[in-house]
Amino acid sequence: MFTGITLALSKGRIFEETLPLLAATGIVPSENPESSRSLIIATNRADVRLLIVRATDVPTYVQYGAADLGIAGKDVLLEHGGAGLYQPLDLDIAHCRMSVAARADFDYSAVRPGGRIRVATKYVKQAKRHFASKGVHIDLIKLYGSMELAPLVGLADVIVDLVSTGGTLRANNLVEVETIEPISSRLIVNQASLKLKHALLQPLLDSFAHSVAARRAS
Ligand code: ATP
Ligand code: MG
């Protein structure tokens, strides 16, 4: 049985931006998940391995202790709720923002408290919370991806989605009409692992914190 540290993360943006943080700790993955089909990736350290999971599944693996720690976007953590997770550190990576977007011809300024709109999103909790705080009633349509399509084909008036450059919105003739909150990725830790594997975990947490602080200072 593997008795070391298991880190869960998603491939793509988060994996790419995590690599330098791992390298600063002396950890180098032995395979690239973009080209490999392996879901368990060994590293140069026999006591550290990576699990490659869907971004939304990272908190679940850590919550149940299948992974000791993980890296997940604040968007994912807000939807998950964070139960059973210790969140010691904002890694300051994978920056974007959660926003409301609509077709250019949709008059979002006419949406007033007491009004009603149709919202398509995979961020159900965040969308409910945001529009409730504005006093706007919503018909919520849960999607799992390609949210940009919904306003174009009349499925929804607006979407709640992540935006970084705005390129995807522009390519689909959508405009960002309101920013909900800034998003970055955080380190999450299983609460039992933190106690039981403290000697292995703490140096890793310290090293991540040090790298993040050093990068902020530079
Ligand atoms: P898929 O795109 O395969 O359906 P996904 O949407 O769950 O999966 P990604 O698009 O790779 O996964 O996003 C993973 C995480 O990266 C998100 O949870 C978010 O925190 C962050 N992220 C998403 N989009 C952006 C973006 N445009 N810029 C920066 N970070 C982003
Ligand atoms: Mg995506």
Side-chain angles (χ1 to χ4, degrees):
M1 207 189 74
F2 184 78
T3 55
I5 292 177
T6 301
L7 168 68
L9 78 179
S10 52
K11 57 185 181 183
R13 188 157 18 219
I14 288 180
F15 182 83
E16 297 301 328
E17 296 195 38
T18 299
L19 277 179
L21 294 172
L22 289 173
T25 315
I27 298 170
V28 181
S30 55
E31 281 179 279
N32 177 354
E34 303 300 339
S35 52
S36 158
R37 293 189 183 193
S38 307
L39 300 176
I40 302 180
I41 296 199
T43 71
N44 61 322
R45 269 180 54 177
D47 60 351
V48 179
R49 65 177 184 174
L50 311 180
L51 298 189
I52 304 300
V53 304
R54 190 73 189 263
T56 29
D57 292 333
V58 169
T60 308
Y61 277 83
V62 177
Q63 174 184 6
Y64 290 100
D68 301 298
L69 65 174
I71 297 175
K74 188 181 176 194
D75 53 315
V76 165
L77 291 170
L78 289 169
E79 281 304 302
H80 173 271
L85 302 174
Y86 173 57
Q87 299 185 28
L89 186 63
D90 181 350
L91 293 171
D92 218 2
I93 60 170
H95 284 279
C96 54
R97 55 195 182 271
M98 191 175 289
S99 295
V100 182
R103 265 166 56 159
D105 59 0
F106 181 78
D107 184 6
Y108 190 65
S109 68
V111 178
R112 295 282 162 75
R116 176 171 288 275
I117 52 170
R118 280 180 305 161
V119 180
T121 189
K122 67 175 170 184
Y123 300 107
V124 169
K125 277 194 198 170
Q126 290 312 296
K128 282 185 182 159
R129 190 190 52 78
H130 176 68
F131 288 103
S133 77
K134 293 165 64 83
V136 172
H137 303 287
I138 59 172
D139 295 317
L140 196 62
I141 298 161
K142 164 87 187 186
L143 293 177
Y144 292 87
S146 302
M147 263 91 80
E148 298 84 6
L149 188 56
L152 303 180
V153 295
L155 180 61
D157 301 310
V158 304
I159 58 172
V160 168
D161 199 3
L162 301 181
V163 182
S164 51
T165 62
T168 307
L169 292 181
R170 269 192 301 282
N172 290 290
N173 294 311
L174 299 180
V175 289
E176 186 178 5
V177 291
E178 189 176 22
T179 302
I180 299 177
E181 63 191 321
I183 299 291
S184 58
S185 285
R186 279 121 205 274
L187 198 60
I188 56 176
V189 185
N190 176 273
Q191 287 171 347
S193 297
L194 193 61
K195 297 194 187 82
L196 299 172
K197 298 187 181 177
H198 189 266
L200 267 180
L201 272 176
Q202 197 58 50
L204 205 61
L205 300 187
D206 292 344
S207 172
F208 277 136
H210 180 82
S211 297
V212 171
R215 207 181 36 202
R216 280 197 184 125
S218 71

